[in-house]
Amino acid sequence: MPSDSRFAVLIDADNVSVRYIKLILDEISKDGIATYKRIYGDWTNPALVSWKSALLDNSVIPIQQYSYTTGKNATDSAMIIDAMDILYSGQVEGFCLVSSDSDFTRLAARLRESGMTVVGMGESKTPNSFIAACNRFLYLDILSAADEDEPDEPPKPEASPKKSAAQKKSAAKKAAPAKAAKAKEEPREEPKTSLRTIRRALRSIVRENSDEDEWIIIGKVGNILIKRYPDFDVRNFGFSKLTPFLDSLEMFEIKSERKDNNSSPQMYVRLKG
């Protein structure tokens, strides 16, 4: 997809936290340009007051939709109507639908039927039906937690003398209970598509699409995997790139090959054994 593809970013304020706004816009910038940036909600509701400064800072247009009836989500209807208007205007190549609500499943499917690229974003509680209706789906809570775990600067080298293997083992053993306690206090959400499912899919993809020597370009593996599982993202499993993730699975041989002196090297992978 060209980097200048135009996207309409439509956000359901009733189902998305304000803390994700920067992450949403940063992620869609990898796919193209956010031509439309709109967020839908009843802005007379005090619960949405925290959005005000975030919308100004990120140039997101709030769309007012009153809650006429208790228990009915009028925001969904307004967002769906706007999406169809934007679709028929012919001004975009894709949509970013931000919500954890399954009510947008049919909208995502309809937009894809019209040739649009649909990127979904929401929390881990998002129903599978909405995830499957998108070309790609990102878990905002998992990605946000991963960003928070990233150090601001690389750790400085220790001035203390080198420890022996026995000392390192003893220190790791003492640190383990503390790490376990921290993990218990702060449970991490898990992606709906498990690592076991991903491993099985990768084995199948490599077997079915490799050349006569059983090698396949890693980029092709990633593209096929996302088509099968829209919510797959290596960051869900603690990695920033696909190659290190594949290497960590200990299932593959990996090589770098350059076709000629002027071309950049391509990374290939094949099953071990």
Side-chain angles (χ1 to χ4, degrees):
M1 183 169 31
S3 59
D4 59 350
S5 293
R6 297 165 298 177
F7 275 79
V9 180
L10 309 180
I11 305 170
D12 177 9
D14 295 333
N15 284 289
V16 176
S17 170
V18 63
R19 67 192 177 98
Y20 297 135
I21 185 64
K22 186 70 168 61
L23 177 60
I24 291 166
L25 298 177
D26 286 350
E27 286 298 324
I28 203 61
S29 70
K30 298 174 184 178
D31 295 301
I33 301 168
T35 305
Y36 293 83
K37 293 187 285 185
R38 297 180 182 178
I39 183 166
Y40 301 79
D42 183 358
W43 302 102
T44 62
N45 185 345
L48 299 182
V49 169
S50 59
W51 277 99
K52 183 177 179 181
S53 60
L55 301 185
L56 290 172
D57 292 343
N58 293 281
S59 188
V60 180
I61 299 174
I63 305 298
Q64 171 63 32
Q65 184 60 45
Y66 292 102
S67 299
Y68 297 110
T69 308
T70 304
K72 299 293 183 181
N73 197 342
T75 299
D76 293 2
S77 300
M79 190 165 152
I80 291 168
I81 291 169
D82 265 13
M84 298 310 294
D85 285 344
I86 295 170
L87 170 66
Y88 293 132
S89 74
Q91 298 300 310
V92 298
E93 287 78 45
F95 284 79
C96 175
L97 305 179
V98 187
S99 179
S100 300
D101 194 338
S102 63
D103 289 350
F104 297 106
T105 300
R106 184 67 188 99
L107 173 61
R110 176 66 182 83
L111 294 172
R112 288 186 67 180
E113 288 171 2
S114 296
M116 295 287 108
T117 297
V118 179
V119 178
M121 298 187 192
E123 294 186 327
S124 301
K125 63 184 179 182
T126 305
N128 284 329
S129 58
F130 180 39
I131 294 171
C134 300
N135 293 94
R136 189 162 65 92
F137 189 89
L138 302 177
Y139 294 112
L140 295 173
D141 47 347
I142 295 177
L143 297 184
S144 177
D147 285 345
E148 290 171 4
D149 290 343
E150 284 289 325
D152 293 333
E153 56 184 24
K156 295 179 180 179
E158 295 181 5
S160 57
K162 292 183 179 179
K163 296 180 180 179
S164 67
Q167 288 175 318
K168 289 179 181 178
K169 188 174 181 181
S170 176
K173 193 173 182 181
K174 290 178 182 178
K179 288 181 179 178
K182 186 177 180 182
K184 192 173 182 181
E185 291 173 6
E186 302 174 5
R188 179 65 59 84
E189 293 290 347
E190 297 291 336
K192 288 198 167 24
T193 303
S194 68
L195 183 58
R196 182 179 179 183
T197 301
I198 294 299
R199 289 174 67 95
R200 191 184 305 120
L202 283 169
R203 184 174 281 108
S204 169
I205 289 168
V206 173
R207 280 177 177 163
E208 295 168 6
N209 297 277
S210 57
D211 61 20
E212 59 273 10
D213 295 320
E214 299 182 346
W215 290 101
I216 180 174
I217 295 174
I218 284 180
K220 184 176 180 180
V221 174
N223 290 337
I224 296 173
L225 191 58
I226 290 175
K227 288 175 182 176
R228 292 190 184 184
Y229 300 99
D231 65 333
F232 172 73
D233 191 309
V234 293
R235 292 172 296 177
N236 294 343
F237 303 99
F239 292 85
S240 59
K241 298 287 179 64
L242 181 59
T243 301
F245 170 71
L246 295 178
D247 192 31
S248 74
L249 300 178
E250 299 182 347
M251 297 166 52
F252 304 104
E253 297 175 39
I254 298 174
K255 73 172 183 178
S256 174
E257 187 174 285
R258 192 190 301 270
K259 291 186 176 180
D260 55 64
N261 293 332
N262 296 324
S263 64
S264 56
Q266 289 270 28
M267 299 300 295
Y268 291 81
V269 65
R270 75 175 175 185
L271 288 167
K272 286 183 177 179

